[in-house]
Amino acid sequence: MNGPESEESQLRRAVCPGSFDPITNGHLDIIARASRLYDTVYVAVMINQSKQGLFSVEERISLIQEVTAEFGNVQVEAFHGLLVDFCKQRDIPAIVKGLRAVSDFDYELQMAQMNIGLSGVETLFVPTNPTYSFLSSSLVKEVAQWGGDISHLVPPAILAALNDRLGQR
Ligand code: PNS
């Protein structure tokens, strides 16, 4: 095949999906590593209407854009629906996920098998940097809420946003 369309389809794209309420250094490490392996990395903020977030989807997107700007090949979008549909609409063949521990594996494997069965989209697992293997957005929020130091667990912009939001309560 010739022409711009075929060149476009040969570009390597991947997606890092999640709730990102808020993004942590653990997420950022996976996105940074994916951005070195792929031409374009989409960060998909998956909307879950049954979960009330600390940050709105728009706020999460803007924070993720701020902390991933330096990578130069990361595109941040929100999506309401199945992750495989997000992938299909953008011609993304691969999902990149971090695995923190064996306890993550069961559910991640189920999702990966469901997703490949639904659409043929592959899931690639990246071992989380051990520095962040205990880290989750929920824990960060809980510790921050009680005044614990989380400055080594989130980027400065996220720390400021958390302090701002929790200070308003
Ligand atoms: O950060 P999270 O909440 O652990 O991320 C989970 C997420 C959003 C990646 C997962 O729940 C997901 O892919 N949701 C989108 C809806 C979907 O495709 N569900 C079927 C998964 S097999």
Side-chain angles (χ1 to χ4, degrees), residues 17-20 27 46 51 81-84 97 107-108 110-112 114-115 118:
S19 305
F20 303 108
H27 295 125
M46 302 305 291
K51 260 201 213 166
L82 286 176
L83 179 58
V84 292
K97 287 276 193 88
Y107 188 47
E108 290 296 343
Q110 280 184 326
M111 288 197 285
M114 177 63 86
N115 284 333
L118 283 172

Side-chain angles (χ1 to χ4, degrees), residues 31-90:
I31 295 165
R33 288 155 69 190
S35 84
R36 293 196 284 271
L37 295 170
Y38 290 90
D39 296 310
T40 304
V41 172
Y42 291 80
V43 175
V45 179
M46 302 305 291
I47 300 171
N48 180 349
Q49 278 163 340
S50 64
K51 260 201 213 166
Q52 168 77 30
L54 180 64
F55 294 100
S56 70
V57 169
E58 293 71 27
E59 288 170 329
R60 291 179 220 176
I61 288 177
S62 142
L63 289 167
I64 300 167
Q65 280 170 338
E66 187 175 343
V67 300
T68 59
E70 64 181 290
F71 304 139
N73 62 345
V74 171
Q75 200 157 314
V76 190
E77 290 182 37
F79 194 72
H80 185 225
L82 286 176
L83 179 58
V84 292
D85 288 333
F86 179 91
C87 294
K88 208 182 298 172
Q89 288 168 19
R90 291 157 186 79

